[in-house]
Amino acid sequence: MPELPEVEVVRRGLERWVAGRTVESVEVLHPRAVRRHPGGGADFAARLRGETLGVPQRRGKYLWLPLAGRDLAVLGHLGMSGQLLVQPEDAPDEKHLRIRVRFGDGAGTELRFVDQRTFGGLSLHETAADGADALPDVIAHIARDPLDPLFDEAAYHLALRAKRTTVKRALLDQSLISGVGNIYADEALWRAKLHYERPTAHLTRPRSAELLGHVRDVMNAALAVGGTSFDSLYVNVNGESGYFDRSLDAYGREDEPCRRCGAPIRRRPWMNRSSYFCPRCQRPPRVPS
Ligand SMILES: [Zn+2]
């Protein structure tokens, strides 16, 4: 599942390669890839034809392409395996090519949505008419993400204290903070030396500020690595945070020594996923919540 840094790398690639280009035609090769578009594939293609793509936007893991001068945007759902590729027009079709967008501007490239498992897709939505930050209506409830300059730290802290929940659940709650997934939550909690089951009600303001700082650091580190891979024509995102794997401290490191204290990293089942933590650096709360 791509997380915020991977999606931001895709957004930057799209900004470089497709922003400002006018759609000549759209080919929908699999109906599942447009199942979130209410009018279906033919309607999706017809409504995009002749439209010019604006600067791609992102909030959390959500990515959208505003249509220039319109209160409309194409929302991209990457799902588990979705990829947005900018390819030469004469490149052979990918086996799992689902949607093709042609531009006909002589630049020689096209936008392709490729998805092996077809959990993802593209859909056209109305947006609030208040500038580039305008969100597609279906994601209007998604909170700002920690890399957003307008993220409200004071409000986040108050919401944490008010919510009777545990710290990792709160990090993954998209109505409080968006874009933090399982991998970066475990990494930030390891850096903050916080056990994932710690109740948020007892989290002090300096502690939650420190945790947010670690969330930002771990995402920026991933961006710094991934940011080098979008320089080519090939804009890509896949199911795992591949390029960041080697610098993970907790996630995926079961039984490997903690890089801080040497204790073996533990993995525990957590909400149909796993939590990785150091049993020595990240002590569980005394009273399980
Ligand atoms: Zn440790």
Side-chain angles (χ1 to χ4, degrees):
M1 196 83 173
E3 295 204 26
L4 185 155
E6 290 82 23
V7 178
E8 174 59 16
V9 168
V10 175
R11 194 204 65 76
R12 291 177 184 181
L14 292 176
E15 179 169 0
R16 175 164 177 176
W17 296 107
V18 306
R21 300 179 74 182
T22 300
V23 175
E24 182 189 56
S25 66
V26 177
E27 200 179 340
V28 177
L29 298 145
H30 197 299
R32 263 180 69 79
V34 289
R35 70 188 179 284
R36 292 181 186 86
H37 180 77
D43 181 72
F44 180 78
R47 290 178 66 189
L48 231 58
R49 200 175 303 133
E51 298 288 350
T52 299
L53 303 179
V55 174
Q57 304 290 314
R58 179 191 56 73
R59 176 173 287 190
K61 300 177 225 178
Y62 292 87
L63 175 74
W64 67 96
L65 297 148
L67 302 185
R70 313 268 265 125
D71 300 334
L72 291 168
V74 177
L75 184 60
H77 311 260
L78 297 173
M80 301 295 282
S81 57
Q83 295 173 298
L84 281 160
L85 309 177
V86 179
Q87 293 281 52
E89 288 163 356
D90 57 6
D93 286 0
E94 291 74 13
K95 187 178 174 198
H96 303 289
L97 177 63
R98 306 304 187 199
I99 300 171
R100 184 201 322 273
V101 179
R102 289 196 178 91
F103 297 105
D105 51 13
T109 58
E110 60 188 28
L111 177 64
R112 298 178 181 181
F113 180 76
V114 175
D115 194 355
Q116 183 179 355
R117 299 169 71 180
T118 328
F119 291 137
L122 301 179
S123 51
L124 190 62
H125 299 276
E126 292 190 6
T127 61
D130 57 355
D133 197 41
L135 266 70
D137 50 11
V138 287
I139 59 164
H141 61 287
I142 300 294
R144 289 188 186 277
D145 62 64
L147 299 188
D148 189 326
L150 296 177
F151 182 83
D152 186 341
E153 272 201 56
Y156 179 67
H157 179 71
L158 289 176
L160 274 190
R161 292 292 292 264
K163 207 139 181 157
R164 304 244 159 245
T165 187
T166 49
V167 65
K168 188 172 172 182
R169 278 175 191 261
L171 281 177
L172 270 67
D173 184 339
Q174 304 288 300
S175 69
L176 291 177
I177 184 171
S178 68
V180 186
N182 205 38
I183 298 173
Y184 296 109
D186 281 1
E187 290 302 294
L189 288 167
W190 181 85
R191 290 184 181 209
K193 300 186 189 176
L194 276 173
H195 190 275
Y196 58 97
E197 293 285 16
R198 279 285 192 92
T200 57
H202 306 307
L203 218 53
T204 62
R205 178 72 192 267
R207 209 74 173 99
S208 78
E210 189 198 338
L211 177 60
L212 262 184
H214 287 302
V215 168
R216 291 193 177 107
D217 286 351
V218 80
M219 286 182 166
N220 281 321
L223 264 178
V225 181
T228 59
S229 70
F230 82 95
D231 214 30
S232 66
L233 189 61
Y234 192 73
V235 179
N236 186 9
V237 67
N238 57 34
E240 288 296 324
S241 62
Y243 48 76
F244 194 48
D245 280 354
R246 264 165 285 169
S247 44
L248 294 176
D249 289 309
Y251 187 86
R253 296 193 67 238
E254 186 178 19
D255 295 332
E256 290 176 50
C258 168
R259 295 195 221 274
R260 206 161 32 210
C261 75
I265 296 287
R266 296 279 177 239
R267 178 170 68 91
R268 293 282 178 272
W270 184 83
M271 293 182 72
N272 299 320
R273 288 179 257 201
S274 292
S275 277
Y276 295 87
F277 66 104
C278 170
R280 195 178 293 162
C281 298
Q282 297 165 267
R283 297 279 187 195
R286 278 187 213 104
V287 183
S289 46

